[in-house]
Amino acid sequence: MTRPVSPPRDHTRKAAPAGAPAPWRTLLAHVDVRTLSLLGVLAVLVVIGGVTRPDEFLDTRNLQLVLTQGSVIGVVTVGMTFVITSGGIDLSVGAIVALCSVWATTVATQEYGFAGILFTAVLVGLGCGLVNGLLIAYGGVVPFIATLAMLASARGLAVQITDGRTQIVTVDGVLDLGERDAYVLGVPPLVIVFAVVTVIGWLVLNRTTFGRRTIAVGGNAEAARLAGIDVRRQRLYLYLLSGLCCGIAAFLLIVLSGSGQNTNGNLYELDAIAAAIIGGTLLTGGRGTITGSVLGVLVFTTITDIFALNNLQSDVQQIAKGAIIVAAVLVQRRSASPA
């Protein structure tokens, strides 16, 4: 009796199914190229700063100063990211920061100490955000016009409160936060606050219903309304959030400068919008990234520091920022256009 012969085993690897993506493409699909690009730009800037001014730029105190200065505009940028993601814009953030800072540093407010200054700054910011939200969401005013009007009104009110003078802070609890003794493991308190705001903003935008509604409203407001989202109320909340961030930023600025001035927050709207745009937030709405916005803030803050250390004129710095903004918008349009 002959034994049946089993077919030879096939030791060759099975071919990948037709049309299956290559492993490296699958990996790249999960990587945010824009985030990697910003990290690369930031690394290049650090190298430039280290080469041009190695003693000053790489000094620990200078790096702490860069992070501290970036914390103020960074908090504003977190709020701006939410607004732009929803398809809106807020041109009044700088003026709101100025108004919050001078209102919170009046003699009458300082009599209530640390809590009085913090509460006033936050309350004024929320009030301005409420006005913006009501005008835009329920008044039907275009965001550009409503926030432009708030910009003029808030800046004018800030000048009227201060009468053009600087208001010096005398509350020790506020001033102590700016001292090196208040640093936690070498990290300034302002940077810690910025980190907390960033983490909360990321969680809200990416892990909550509020964040999903914000993206939906920015992507297609009418479709969001048909899906059961109260678009007007969502927009009101977003401008309240922006005002809250301005109030927090104003308090950080008070700690940093030890004063309240009507010139505070100058061009913050430019820096916040620019940081959000180069970070990957679409001007047309529907997509936003807190991580990218934070990296955008760090890029601009590092550029400012390098220009200052090398004694370069501020107008050249503004030209560089403008060029970066235009390049980021062009990249967005190219990526959004069909292949």
Side-chain angles (χ1 to χ4, degrees):
M1 175 180 288
T2 59
R3 302 176 68 181
V5 180
S6 59
R9 294 181 180 180
D10 185 5
H11 296 284
T12 60
R13 295 180 180 179
K14 294 182 179 180
W24 63 271
R25 292 188 177 181
T26 304
L27 178 62
L28 288 178
H30 293 83
V31 176
D32 190 344
V33 178
R34 186 182 296 272
T35 299
L36 293 178
S37 300
L38 285 174
L39 287 173
V41 171
L42 192 58
V44 171
L45 290 174
V46 171
V47 171
I48 293 175
V51 171
T52 57
R53 292 287 179 176
D55 295 334
E56 296 91 341
F57 182 80
L58 297 178
D59 184 70
T60 303
R61 293 192 176 186
N62 181 65
L63 297 178
Q64 290 173 337
L65 178 61
V66 170
L67 292 176
T68 300
Q69 293 177 338
S71 298
V72 180
I73 185 62
V75 172
V76 176
T77 304
V78 171
M80 182 69 77
T81 301
F82 277 88
V83 172
I84 297 179
T85 301
S86 71
I89 198 72
D90 192 347
L91 302 178
S92 62
V93 290
I96 293 176
V97 168
L99 180 59
C100 292
S101 69
V102 300
W103 206 323
T105 54
T106 59
V107 175
T109 304
Q110 293 193 50
E111 291 180 355
Y112 293 94
F114 183 98
I117 294 177
L118 175 59
F119 178 77
T120 302
V122 171
L123 186 62
V124 173
L126 285 172
C128 294
L130 177 63
V131 174
N132 279 337
L134 290 175
L135 288 175
I136 295 169
Y138 294 95
V141 182
V142 178
F144 181 90
I145 300 300
T147 57
L148 185 62
M150 177 58 72
L151 182 155
S153 301
R155 188 69 72 177
L157 185 55
V159 174
Q160 193 172 46
I161 291 175
T162 60
D163 196 21
R165 294 189 291 254
T166 299
Q167 298 178 161
I168 305 299
V169 177
T170 59
V171 179
D172 292 335
V174 175
L175 297 175
D176 290 343
L177 287 177
E179 300 295 331
R180 297 189 64 84
D181 293 339
Y183 288 12
V184 180
L185 300 177
V187 180
L190 275 65
V191 178
I192 297 176
V193 173
F194 175 39
V196 171
V197 172
T198 298
V199 171
I200 294 175
W202 186 91
L203 291 174
V204 171
L205 184 60
N206 297 282
R207 294 292 185 268
T208 67
T209 303
F210 183 87
R212 289 191 291 270
R213 288 175 178 173
T214 300
I215 296 173
V217 170
N220 191 321
E222 181 61 21
R225 185 188 66 81
L226 295 176
I229 298 176
D230 191 331
V231 175
R232 293 189 299 179
R233 185 173 61 185
Q234 184 70 16
R235 285 175 175 162
L236 174 61
Y237 289 162
L238 288 167
Y239 282 95
L240 278 172
L241 177 61
S242 179
L244 172 63
C245 290
C246 289
I248 297 174
F251 180 77
L252 298 182
L253 192 57
I254 292 171
V255 173
L256 184 62
S257 63
S259 64
Q261 305 176 48
N262 62 285
T263 55
N264 283 340
N266 187 34
L267 294 180
Y268 272 21
E269 55 277 356
L270 170 64
D271 291 340
I273 294 173
I277 291 174
I278 70 170
T281 300
L282 286 180
L283 268 176
T284 54
R287 188 182 73 190
T289 163
I290 298 295
T291 303
S293 296
V294 171
L295 290 176
V297 169
L298 294 178
V299 166
F300 279 127
T301 308
T302 305
I303 290 175
T304 301
D305 185 63
I306 292 175
F307 272 66
L309 291 177
N310 288 276
N311 297 319
L312 298 176
Q313 297 180 357
S314 59
D315 54 350
V316 180
Q317 174 185 328
Q318 297 301 330
I319 293 174
K321 286 184 177 181
I324 293 175
I325 295 171
V326 172
V329 172
L330 291 177
V331 170
Q332 284 190 359
R333 291 190 60 183
R334 183 173 181 179
S335 61
S337 61

